[in-house]
Amino acid sequence: MGGKITCTLGEVKNRADFIIYWGGNPAECHPRHFSKYTLTPKGKFVPEGRKGRTMVLVDIRETPSAKAADIFLQIRPGKDFEVATTLRALVKKQRVDPALVAETGLSVEQLQDIVDRMKRARFGVIFFGMGVSMTRGKHMNSGAILNLTAEMNAFTKFVCMPMRGHGNVTGADVVLRWTTGYPFGVDLSRGYPRFNPGEFSTVDLLVRGDNDAALILGADPGATMPQPGIEHLARIPTIVLDPKVTHTSRLARVHITTAVTGVSAPGTSYRMDEIPLPLRPALTSPYPTDEEVIRRIRRAVAAKPAWTPAPSRMMAIA
Amino acid sequence: MLRITGGTVYDPANGVDGAVHDLYIADGRIVEASAMAEGARTIDATGMIVMPGGVDVHTHVAGGALNFARGLVPENQRAARKFLHHGDRRAGLGGMTPTTFATGYLYAGMGWTTVNEAAVPVLSARHTHEELHDIPLVDKTSLVLMANNEFVLDLLEAGEVERARHVVSWLVWAAKAYGIKAVNPGGVEAWKWGKNANTLHAPIEGYKTVTPAMIIEGLATIADDLHLPHPVHLHCNNLGVPGNFATTIETMNVLQGHRAHLAHLQFHAYGGDDWTTMRSESARVADAFAANPNLTADAGAVLFGDAVTITADGPWQHLLYQLTGRKWGNLDVENETGCGIVPYVYRDRNLVNAVQWAVGLELLLLIDDPWRIFLTTDHPNGGCFWRYPEIIHMLMNAEFRREQVQQLPEKARQRILLADLNREYTLAEVAIITSAGPARSLGLTRKGHLGVGADADVTIYPTRPDHGFLFSYPRYVIKGGAIVVEEGDVREVVDGKEFIVRPACDETIEDYIRPLFEKVYTMSFANYPVEIERLRNPEVVTPDAQ
Amino acid sequence: MLTLTLNEIPSVPLEAEVLSPDILAPLTIEAIRALPVHLGKRERRLDDFFTVDGEPGDEIELRGDLARVKWIGRAMTHGTLRIRGNAGMHLASAMQGGTVDVFGNAGDWLGAEMSGGVVHVRGDAGGQVGAAYRGAPTGMRDGLIVIDGGAGLEVGMRMQRGTIVVGGPVRDFAGLQMKGGTIVLGQGAELRTGAWMNRGTIISLQPIPLLPTFSYAATYNPTFLRLYARRLATFGCTLPYDERHGSYQRYTGDAAVPGRGEILVWRANR
């Protein structure tokens, strides 16, 4: 069934000699990725630095990241799943249809060459970005790369890692997992955690209008959601906690300005490889921290009469 | 203040074996009767069994590896026991990888009051402590992974044992840990190139002189020299492999003259040459163990049913993935260690699983001295901690045990000795393997006993349970003097303590570590040590320096 | 027959797993009216939302636009559940027996992980029909789902046995990681049909795009289809099989696994 084979970024820096960036533009979106982790640093086992590494960029267009690549594979939009699936078959020396492969914008020969290089690598890594995880196929595109990575381990050391978006997405994922068991899209309305992307994930909830209130913290759905979702946010009581007045603030009922986490408020940030880093504020702020505001709201809510019946009466539903 | 009257007390550390007497609790400790003032609540424990709270010496409940596992198995969470939010009771999920609040409720609900998180990478120790912070009701310790730490390996390669000791001491305090964990010495490092370390006396991948044996001996020496309360805690090489009993016995030889604790011994007591000939070698392992009184061990017993294997033994997990085709997770941690995860099901129809199930029980029955072998399932690797009462039942009831053996396939029965073992554990022995023994091994002097001065962690069981096994549903659980569980319900939620150790350390060793760190790690050195403020209720133990 | 008529569309989704013959059949009308349903985080009474009439028993009819009512028919083992209107997510989830008939549309997760019984949706269904829930190894284990209209993503994902028939268009990933069973696509599908399939049969009556990991095997008229066609005719589905009208092109895959599933694409004679 595949799995998730990964490592912390130092392993990449010290060992990786074959790096694939897929569906991402690190030169512009993760500007220190090359110099800190993947291309230029002298690794413990890659002392030659850049010369000891091969970088492959897979994307639908030639971004500034292509300048740093040894091999650039331009694939047609919406073909990431097909390419990754084909690679999985080629890794196992299975038959593929050359004409259908060619529809991806790449040839069987090109993909076979990549597979050969992957197998010859001492330590390969695939970094996949939102071009993979947010385009048609979504989690299946990511799943294809995860499975490919797991299967490559029969031949050589291979890992993969998602290139996370800005903010502390990884941190939210990590904390939700330990407190609720699930990384996102967690529903607590039946008194215990439930998970079902598509049913409880944010975009879907908002677009269907399944919620009758919203508290937005550290995000700006009023700028990024599909229009029906934005309209729904404007209709229901929406509360925003943010250092800035955002698009969402403008359609919210209440906006509370809070201190900037990491600059004026302490905390922990989890890096894309899930390593926790302490945030030590450098400045003070006249505004309360997100934590202070949430605690005050929670105290007020806790003072209200309980709405959940005593636990013994609750039927557990999947 | 609390008075427990008329209970049948089992306090083996103080020589109490089923005597009926009263216990007095004040300010979170066991006290003399004379220290009690007016207004104490009384629990009438007449006809009930009173024991010190359980101590789990080896479990995986918090941190990066366990949290990684949670993410891999949403379907397990869906089927898991539900904990409903109510009042100050937090929502959560039980199952094989319980969420943090649920972990506390489950342990306390079973009468266990101290847990030892057995595997923490320094680099993500901050994460571990954040999770431990969110586990209510139990006290905690944690062990930091050292046997594949490249700073340490490089120093051992160079023969610089004293400097290695200072580095280890610095790392233990940086991680705010309680002791040293060694997993598959050299093997996890080799896995970073896709290899393993199967031979104790062969140099490991990437090194010319350092062998697994040298790492084992080196860390055992360091733990002894630092006077750590708990000895080096070792997961031997070749875990799970048929024929690995030889490696385990060889490891015991390497450890002669040192204290050590062997983790989940069951996984290391197999004979045979391959999966089809695999059999139990618990007798030979138990004999060698008996001849090495410097060692303690925990059982790591297997129970039939669902499990999730979570271990720093990366190469083993890749093998399990290839053998079973199940989901596989792997996370290598730069310069230090790694972890592998494979959800698994132990079936009684499976010959290998049947042998594994028997071996754990055989070791518990063959090793005579209960002060040296402790009850664990290497949760969640062999089975879930909340099933410990099933194992206790099998240890106490030979007939029930034999009935279970009879249900195994004929071929499996030929490879195990369990049916021939008649020993039945007494209640005193149960109190030792679940509490007094692990507390002593961990060097937690206020745990595992009910003498004056002990922490008031007390579990009271009905002699005849309404349902389940004898130890499934304590009538009362007292933690630090507070009645936290009553009639199977969590009544009060208290926060536990975290015991951490600050060994003697030459502070200048930081000048050695810093430049190396900056070269091979990927964060600022200032961010590496865990800030003590992150720990909830830390209690620092400072062992005497040599 | 017991009838439950929705009085007003709930403001947020209503979870009503009590709407199953297993739960309703043995109860009195008063007890039924008092059954718990969940409006978001609040527990309410069934009759806060439904007017309950008729005779409790194995035949139940729900009336109204129940598109926001989730978990209807959950784990039912027998009886007839008829919905005159739309139904929400998780309809007939984990169903083991009986019949569900929807005169309207159904939401996502229709018949998820079901192991028996018959579901007929006259309108459209959502995604994940007969599928496994996230992370679970197996979806539908047996039973029959017929959808007259179209359906969404991941129809039959990880199904092991049983049959799903969709009359209208279907979106991406139909038959994803299939382990067995049969999916009939009356109007074909969008992308990535049969992705990573291990075993099982996908029959498409229209041409569909295929992954590069599928290979053409043969053109033929499989005999088993006559039996299928007869069975499906009772639901008003027409499955062509006669060589006078055309043949099926057989593709095997998915080589990425490598799997031994098949996709049969109907090619009408000119």
Side-chain angles (χ1 to χ4, degrees), chain A residues 78 82 85 88 92 94-97 136 139-140 147 189-190 194 196 199 208-210 309 313 317-318, chain C residues 12-13 15 17 38 41 43 68 70-71 89-90 109 154 172-173 190 192 196 212-213 255-257:
Chain A
E82 283 72 14
T85 298
R88 286 185 66 195
K92 300 189 198 69
Q94 297 291 311
R95 197 158 47 123
V96 296
D97 184 314
R136 185 171 182 171
H139 63 276
M140 291 308 306
N147 278 322
S189 52
R190 297 296 292 263
R194 297 188 297 167
N196 200 17
E199 183 176 5
R208 282 193 307 264
D210 280 355
R313 283 202 56 227
I317 189 177
Chain C
V12 295
E15 298 198 1
E17 64 273 15
H38 293 86
K41 71 187 182 206
E43 186 180 297
R68 282 196 136 182
K70 297 181 178 177
W71 297 102
M89 291 189 189
H90 306 289
W109 303 101
E154 298 175 326
D172 298 349
F173 293 115
E190 293 181 33
R192 298 157 182 173
W196 307 354
T213 43
V257 177

Side-chain angles (χ1 to χ4, degrees), chain B residues 175-190:
Chain B
K176 299 298 178 292
Y178 186 75
I180 297 171
K181 175 70 178 296
V183 173
N184 191 14
V188 184
E189 170 63 18

